[in-house]
Amino acid sequence: MKVRAALAAAVLLGAAGPPPIGASSCSGCHGSASPLPALAGRNPSELVAILEGYRAGTRPSTVMGRIVRGFSQDETVAIATWLAAEQ
Amino acid sequence: MIARRGLIAGAGALLGKPLVARAQAQARVVVIGGGFAGATAARFLQRANRQLDIVLVETNAGYLACPLSNEVIAGERAIAAQRFDYRAIAAAGVLVVQAEATAVDPVARKVALNTGGTLSYDRLILAPGIDIAWGALPGYDEAASDVLPHAWKAGAQTLLLRKQLESMEDGGVVVISAPANPYRCPPGPYERASLIAAWLAKHRPRSKLLLLDAKDAFSKQKLFEAAWARFYPGLLERVSLSDGGKVTSVNPASRTFTTDFDTHRADVGNVVPPQHAGRIAALAGVADRTGWCPVDPATFESKLQPGVHVIGDAAIAGAMPKSAFAANAQAKVCADAVATLLAGGTPVEPKLINVCYSRVAPNYGISVAGVYRPLNGQLTEIPGAGGPSPLDAPDAQRAQEAEYANVWFRTITGETFG
């Protein structure tokens, strides 16, 4: 429910605004100059599902599994919704 | 290239602006230091609030990046690939002033420049990186670094160490001394030892590398040691603090490294020396007796001088290492905090990420990650998150992390300078 409410709020707001907790670090690897998959403008539900897959260990990774465990699900939802609104 | 005269003239124009009118119109943030921390901060402040007047003060016309510079020493990479400039930052609306900051008055909120001018600020961000603590290791002064390079700031020193290795005959001994904590790039000496060993194994196979360490434990230790046993047996030897590895003096004339128990003669000697925050930090009164700068973990505002923020290698950032990734992450958090403070708001408690890759052999990379938050006045690592790559990872994952090291460098230099 929380996820859906946050996603709906982000869609309503329609702008990225200041980054939520932790979000500004992501571009250290996933910036616009990166050959890694872009995060800005991605479907937030898809991003949340990917991040939760890393957390659960059901989705393989080199480093993301180690990073996502530093964030609560509320925080990953806020980061994903902010990234979705980024240009 | 932006002409030096143009930059100074630009600064002069700013200085001529009436202070009161400027304060009413727009706040000014001065950033000192154009490395990963300072350049990122200037850029992201500009992005956070386009009304801000942002001045980046940097001594050099360009920047030579340290990450991946161990590959230059090992002959795998050209120094030109480490070189960046400030054109994109200036084009984004930041005033880039090529000058050295020689004094800070934190009460009057003014910075003095070696060009004679002064810059007033509403908030100051110091990102001066490190300076070598000349003399802290007996025998190691600036002249000694012409014989025993530190190569801990990228540039001429990097190329000198490269040249010395190329000139060394087979059967020679390379000695590297690693300092006690804290210092820039905690895994750096071990990555350097690895990549030099890889070069020796191929080009000077009868040679030896001796790593004399003032510590017992170090970053990614188990991963490095497993890789050394596999790739460089009999070639790379590390002597820990407990085993008498702490170097107590060096002698450039004889190229010797002295410990409590022994004296080692080097054909090529590399001193990773003790360091402190870049000089302007002490002049501004933001460095404490350790030589580093205590800061608030949420805003990076100095605990010693209000209105001055310190980010990157110069800051005491608790559990966060002195890395380019950390400097860039801190800069973004600090930029948001400064923009919020100038708008009269209260910055939120942040979380910051660090990821650090090391190359150990061809197609063999390892990493360590951490997530940090303020706790009891310090940036503290969040338990259960982060940590090194698994010790039992397959070679395919090591190859992937070697590639990610390059990907990360392209990304972060693009975000900072591009």
Side-chain angles (χ1 to χ4, degrees), chain A residues 18-19 21-36 61-63 66-72 75, chain B residues 325 329 332-333 336 349 351-353 355 367 369 371 382 384-389 397 400-401 404 407-408 410-411 415:
Chain A
I21 289 169
S24 66
S25 283
C26 302
S27 59
C29 288
H30 294 273
S32 53
S34 177
L36 295 181
S61 70
T62 55
V63 75
R66 288 179 260 161
I67 291 171
V68 75
R69 284 191 283 274
F71 295 89
S72 68
E75 287 169 339
Chain B
F325 195 113
K332 289 180 275 189
V333 164
D336 279 333
E349 289 243 312
K351 281 188 178 180
L352 298 97
I353 299 170
V355 180
S367 69
V371 186
I382 294 171
S389 326
Q397 188 168 334
Q400 204 171 16
E401 293 214 297
Y404 283 167
V407 164
W408 166 77
R410 287 202 296 277
T411 305
E415 179 171 274

Side-chain angles (χ1 to χ4, degrees), chain B residues 317-338:
Chain B
M320 275 193 106
K322 298 187 187 304
S323 72
F325 195 113
N328 168 272
Q330 290 168 11
K332 289 180 275 189
V333 164
C334 180
D336 279 333
V338 166

